[in-house]
Amino acid sequence: MKDWINIISFTYPHEAHLAKAFLEAHDIEVIIKDELTVQMHNFLSNAIGGVKIFVEKDKSEEALSLLEEGGYIDKNPSEEPQKIEVFSSEYKNICPYCGGANIVRKNLPGYTFALSILLLGFPIPFLKRVYYCYDCRREWKVK
Ligand SMILES: [Zn+2]
């Protein structure tokens, strides 16, 4: 019986799949959990802890250092979180940093968000909107 442990969580399924493919290329078996839930309820991703990646316990250290080398994990987790800048409304469709259009609007569920699900059974609609660029991996807000 193998002992699987959760080594990292991703907000979006495609990020977890990239990491899975990367680890499997290094002969490490990977199990992804919560993926289905996240696809059905993308906005719930943060509330349930994202898409979790599991590996065998005795491979966990190797897997983590591989993910770090591959750039899937921030090497300086103690560093200040990136400050999110606010841009004018024209940057709802285009990235203000690289000019790319490969962007997505995502919710930033906070404490109120999780609480509203617990109390009301559904999220309240007035969430902060954050935009994310798949090309340069930066985030920003729009006025
Ligand atoms: Zn960009």
Side-chain angles (χ1 to χ4, degrees):
M1 186 81 184
K2 286 174 180 176
D3 204 1
W4 296 87
I5 65 166
N6 174 216
I7 55 161
I8 189 170
S9 298
F10 292 95
T11 308
Y12 297 106
H14 74 268
E15 294 172 326
H17 277 284
L18 285 175
K20 181 175 187 275
F22 179 76
L23 288 176
E24 284 175 345
H26 291 86
D27 291 324
I28 293 178
E29 276 187 83
V30 173
I31 291 176
I32 291 182
K33 285 195 180 172
D34 292 336
E35 183 182 9
L36 197 63
T37 317
V38 171
Q39 279 173 346
M40 289 170 64
H41 304 284
N42 211 7
F43 60 91
L44 276 176
S45 181
N46 284 352
I48 62 168
V51 185
K52 298 183 183 69
I53 283 201
F54 286 76
V55 300
E56 285 173 69
K57 200 172 181 179
D58 55 357
K59 293 280 183 72
S60 61
E61 278 183 32
E62 187 187 352
L64 278 171
S65 60
L66 279 169
L67 286 174
E68 196 172 301
E69 280 171 36
Y72 294 89
I73 298 175
D74 192 349
K75 282 179 186 172
N76 300 306
S78 59
E79 215 174 273
E80 293 256 317
Q82 191 186 343
K83 199 178 162 219
I84 299 180
E85 290 184 78
V86 179
F87 289 88
S88 56
S89 59
E90 68 205 78
Y91 293 109
K92 280 179 181 170
N93 300 309
I94 195 161
C95 171
Y97 297 103
C98 72
N102 194 15
I103 68 175
V104 67
R105 189 177 75 174
K106 66 178 192 180
N107 298 324
L108 195 65
Y111 176 71
T112 318
F113 176 80
L115 198 67
S116 76
I117 291 181
L118 285 176
L119 297 179
L120 307 171
F122 55 86
I124 46 177
F126 41 90
L127 299 167
K128 281 185 199 165
R129 297 296 188 189
V130 172
Y131 292 79
Y132 173 80
C133 174
Y134 287 111
D135 293 330
C136 64
R137 296 179 162 265
R138 296 190 73 164
E139 291 178 336
W140 66 97
K141 286 185 207 165
V142 168
K143 280 178 199 167

